[in-house]
């Protein structure tokens, strides 16, 4: 297994729309185990392949306290969105920034498992928020896209400054 580099906003590669996985093979399994290791290393509750510069529709999530319940979603697709809920969100691709986003409260979605089984789930709460956040990544969308342009612009300036500092130190 290996830890992958997580891209940070405003990296344009975060805007690329991911393509469906055609066949679940050893390459895909390796990607999912590297993604899980990267997510645990970064203390995230979810990670989309787009964030590690892989343009495939793959998501990993683990909401458990002990980090022992990995969920691997291949080609996840939302089929129903219902209600509204707001939650304070963060993102591994937008370091040290948290803000409130409104999303659907209940969703129905389906995905393929690594064993090539199709699963359909109806979910709510944090898992529903997380699945919407991750599928947005696969479509090149970030949670800060829901904020005002002014907030996003300020954040962009701040992160560009930090990135320059990082490059100097390294
Ligand atoms: O670790 C994460 N926490 C989180 C909190 C509220 C809503 C969404 C998330 S997902 C985020 C990890 C991440 O960036 N996934 O793409
Ligand atoms: Ni994210």
């Amino acid at each position: 297994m290996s830890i992958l580099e997580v891209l940070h906003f405003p990296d344009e590669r975060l805007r690329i729309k991911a393509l469906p996985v055609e066949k679940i093979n050893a390459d895909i399994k390796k990607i999912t185990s590297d993604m899980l290791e990267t997510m645990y290393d970064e203390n995230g509750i979810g990670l989309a392949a787009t964030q590690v510069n892989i343009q495939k529709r793959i998501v990993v999530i683990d909401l458990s306290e002990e980090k022992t319940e990995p969920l691997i979603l291949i080609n996840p697709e939302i089929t129903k969105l219902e209600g509204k809920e707001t939650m304070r969100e963060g993102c591994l691709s937008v370091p040290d920034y948290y803000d409130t986003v409104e999303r659907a409260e209940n969703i129905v979605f389906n995905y393929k498992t690594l064993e090539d089984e199709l699963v359909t789930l109806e979910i709510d709460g944090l898992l529903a928020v997380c699945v919407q956040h991750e599928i947005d990544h696969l479509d090149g969308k970030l949670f800060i896209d829901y904020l005002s342009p002014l907030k996003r612009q300020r954040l962009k300036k701040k992160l560009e400054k930090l990135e320059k500092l990082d490059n100097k130190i390294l």
Side-chain angles (χ1 to χ4, degrees):
M1 295 213 289
S2 15
I3 291 171
L4 308 170
E5 187 193 339
V6 176
L7 303 178
H8 290 167
F9 172 77
D11 195 311
E12 281 301 315
R13 291 171 291 180
L14 289 167
R15 300 306 186 178
I16 302 171
K17 193 173 157 69
L19 295 171
V21 171
E22 300 285 351
K23 193 173 180 340
I24 298 169
N25 54 25
D27 282 355
I28 299 299
K29 288 177 186 168
K30 166 84 166 93
I31 291 170
T32 60
S33 68
D34 289 347
M35 284 176 63
L36 278 170
E37 192 181 12
T38 305
M39 175 183 73
Y40 291 136
D41 180 66
E42 299 251 356
N43 294 313
I45 57 171
L47 186 73
T50 307
Q51 293 177 276
V52 288
N53 199 27
I54 295 171
Q55 288 79 36
K56 296 183 194 300
R57 303 190 77 81
I58 304 173
V59 165
V60 296
I61 292 175
D62 193 336
L63 300 185
S64 71
E65 203 65 51
E66 310 289 324
K67 299 292 163 200
T68 49
E69 291 168 43
L71 202 59
I72 294 166
L73 314 177
I74 310 289
N75 300 338
E77 246 177 22
I78 293 172
T79 55
K80 193 173 159 194
L81 296 153
E82 229 173 42
K84 278 183 174 41
E85 169 169 52
T86 57
M87 207 178 275
R88 210 169 143 75
E89 297 194 16
C91 181
L92 297 174
S93 295
V94 189
D96 301 317
Y97 184 80
Y98 303 86
D99 216 327
T100 305
V101 175
E102 183 181 284
R103 296 190 186 270
E105 184 183 12
N106 305 287
I107 66 170
V108 178
F109 82 112
N110 59 63
Y111 63 94
K112 270 195 170 188
T113 67
L114 274 190
E115 289 73 42
D116 221 343
E117 291 160 330
L118 190 64
V119 177
T120 302
L121 289 179
E122 182 166 0
I123 54 172
D124 59 14
L126 181 59
L127 182 57
V129 169
C130 195
V131 166
Q132 291 173 78
H133 176 116
E134 303 309 341
I135 293 178
D136 269 356
H137 275 303
L138 300 181
D139 291 325
K141 205 164 163 72
L142 299 170
F143 84 101
I144 51 172
D145 297 348
Y146 298 103
L147 309 177
S148 74
L150 181 64
K151 268 191 180 176
R152 199 163 46 249
Q153 188 56 29
R154 278 205 300 252
L155 195 59
K156 182 166 179 268
K157 286 262 161 15
K158 191 181 98 180
L159 289 180
E160 278 170 346
K161 220 179 247 173
L162 280 175
E163 195 80 14
K164 276 191 194 134
L165 272 174
D166 280 353
N167 289 341
K168 254 182 211 163
I169 291 162
L170 285 175

